[in-house]
Amino acid sequence: MPAKIQSLLNLPFPKAIKNGLVDKISWGRLAGSSLSLAIAEAAALSNRVNIVITESTPVAHRLESEIASILTKGIDVFTFPDWEILPYDTFSPHQDIISQRLLTLYQLPKMQQGVVIVPIATLMHYLSPKEYIQGNSFVFKAGDTLNINQLAEQLSTSGYRNVEQVIEHGEFSVRGSILDLFPMGSVQPFRLDFFDDEIDTIRYFDPESQRSKDTVDSINILPAHEFPLDKSGIETFRQNYREKLDINNEKDSLYRQVTEGSFPAGIEYYLPLFFEKVSSLFDYLPDNSQLMLAGEIQQHAEQFLTDSQKRYENYNVDKLRP
């Protein structure tokens, strides 16, 4: 366990009342970086996962940087990032953002202590069910018996893109007995060297020089997207689409493209159609979570709803993307 920091602010913390409930307290006059110090103390002095809800993404990034510089190593601090696209945009989030979101959703239910920062607008989005993330994540180890072609097929089914040269998250490439892979949630890509149907070695590699680096024992592979792209996911999408929206079967329509296995930019805002039920970030929180509201949360939540409604009214005239 990391050494706990000494309290400098002597702030009060919520206490248990009864029936598993805790009281609610307010901290005030935390100017400058003192808010980050207060949150860092809360994380270090209690064995809880502290969920910090902020007004905006810039505030979330600033708090993450400040809190991480205060806390000792061993206590996780990270932001659950926003897609950074506006509601109903016709382009998708960057792969690095999706990678960080998937990693957070995978790690969050297992966390014991730390700080997770989330902007209020990001918190208000629907998410895939927890079972989807956990059920579509895999661990491969050196020495595992696995056919390279079967692995490539499995990666394609999970939404990974088969490319000539792996450069960014969500890509893989097969060259003879070598499979290069940049898993979602990973900082670096990996090179798997097969001997017949066995993973002989797993190494990091540099995507710029394409040279192998240090050997690792195992890798964790998360799904490539926050929604399923397999036959079952497509069929669920089609069924929900028919129930909720008017079908337009023109070549460029969203319904036709997904039916044919193509996923146009901006498909993320149709995530609820890929599942029988959806979740929120609250469904991923461990039992020992402690919520912190930092700033004018209500005001920014209402503003996000107002902006989303305006964009809905502007974009809802497109029959190809209802």
Side-chain angles (χ1 to χ4, degrees):
M1 290 290 293
K4 292 185 176 180
I5 64 174
Q6 183 68 33
S7 176
L8 299 176
L9 300 176
N10 294 317
L11 293 168
F13 293 101
K15 298 179 180 179
I17 304 175
K18 59 180 179 179
N19 299 328
L21 299 177
V22 296
D23 60 359
K24 189 165 53 175
I25 63 172
S26 296
W27 295 337
R29 300 181 179 178
L30 295 173
S33 297
S34 58
L35 174 60
S36 298
L37 177 59
I39 297 171
E41 288 190 2
L45 299 174
S46 65
N47 292 319
R48 290 179 176 274
V49 176
N50 295 273
I51 311 299
V52 183
I53 304 173
T54 67
E55 299 175 347
S56 64
T57 292
V59 173
H61 289 320
R62 177 177 62 80
L63 288 178
E64 179 185 16
S65 177
E66 293 177 353
I67 295 169
S69 68
I70 297 170
L71 283 173
T72 57
K73 292 182 178 180
I75 300 180
D76 292 327
V77 181
F78 48 83
T79 296
F80 182 64
D82 191 78
W83 277 337
E84 296 187 9
I85 57 176
L86 296 174
Y88 313 112
D89 267 347
T90 55
F91 46 89
S92 292
H94 194 278
Q95 284 293 95
D96 291 348
I97 292 176
I98 298 298
S99 174
Q100 181 60 43
R101 285 171 61 92
L102 287 166
L103 180 61
T104 303
L105 294 177
Y106 178 76
Q107 293 178 333
L108 188 52
K110 307 171 186 177
M111 283 185 67
Q112 297 296 319
Q113 185 182 22
V115 179
V116 179
I117 308 166
V118 55
I120 181 60
T122 309
L123 182 65
M124 295 169 69
H125 282 73
Y126 284 127
L127 299 175
S128 54
K130 183 168 61 175
E131 297 77 18
Y132 167 72
I133 303 295
Q134 301 296 324
N136 289 276
S137 301
F138 308 94
V139 177
F140 293 115
K141 302 177 182 178
D144 282 352
T145 300
L146 185 67
N147 182 276
I148 189 171
N149 294 323
Q150 291 178 342
L151 176 57
E153 183 177 348
Q154 184 176 355
L155 290 171
S156 294
T157 301
S158 297
Y160 283 80
R161 302 182 305 282
N162 192 346
V163 297
E164 290 292 329
Q165 182 173 309
V166 171
I167 297 176
E168 64 177 13
H169 287 101
E171 296 180 340
F172 77 95
S173 175
V174 178
R175 301 189 313 279
S177 62
I178 294 176
L179 186 145
D180 289 345
L181 170 65
F182 204 150
M184 306 301 281
S186 176
V187 178
Q188 300 182 64
F190 297 90
R191 177 161 291 157
L192 286 69
D193 195 345
F194 283 77
F195 182 75
D196 289 335
D197 287 347
E198 179 179 308
I199 300 176
D200 188 29
T201 59
I202 304 174
R203 296 178 180 272
Y204 290 118
F205 79 90
D206 186 338
E208 293 186 4
S209 67
Q210 294 291 304
R211 291 182 178 180
S212 300
K213 300 167 69 176
D214 297 334
T215 301
V216 296
D217 295 328
S218 63
I219 58 174
N220 190 28
I221 300 178
L222 303 178
H225 297 276
E226 296 180 48
F227 48 88
L229 304 183
D230 56 9
K231 292 181 180 179
S232 176
I234 292 175
E235 185 53 40
T236 300
F237 173 92
R238 285 162 48 84
Q239 180 178 339
N240 287 330
Y241 193 107
R242 291 193 295 266
E243 291 177 358
K244 302 176 187 302
L245 302 167
D246 294 330
I247 294 180
N248 186 316
N249 211 23
E250 293 183 32
K251 181 180 180 181
D252 294 332
S253 70
L254 185 76
Y255 181 82
R256 177 81 172 271
Q257 290 182 71
V258 174
T259 296
E260 295 177 350
S262 174
F263 302 93
I267 190 67
E268 286 75 15
Y269 274 103
Y270 295 86
L271 179 148
L273 298 183
F274 286 91
F275 300 99
E276 296 296 337
K277 63 175 183 178
V278 288
S279 299
S280 75
L281 191 65
F282 293 106
D283 296 307
Y284 285 82
L285 302 186
D287 293 336
N288 69 338
S289 297
Q290 179 170 262
L291 291 180
M292 299 182 179
L293 309 183
E296 300 295 332
I297 302 302
Q298 182 70 24
Q299 175 184 334
H300 284 77
E302 292 174 354
Q303 185 62 52
F304 175 72
L305 289 177
T306 299
D307 293 343
S308 297
Q309 181 63 32
K310 289 180 180 178
R311 289 183 63 84
Y312 171 80
E313 292 169 357
N314 291 335
Y315 281 76
N316 196 40
V317 295
D318 187 352
K319 300 303 180 182
L320 298 180
R321 300 175 66 99

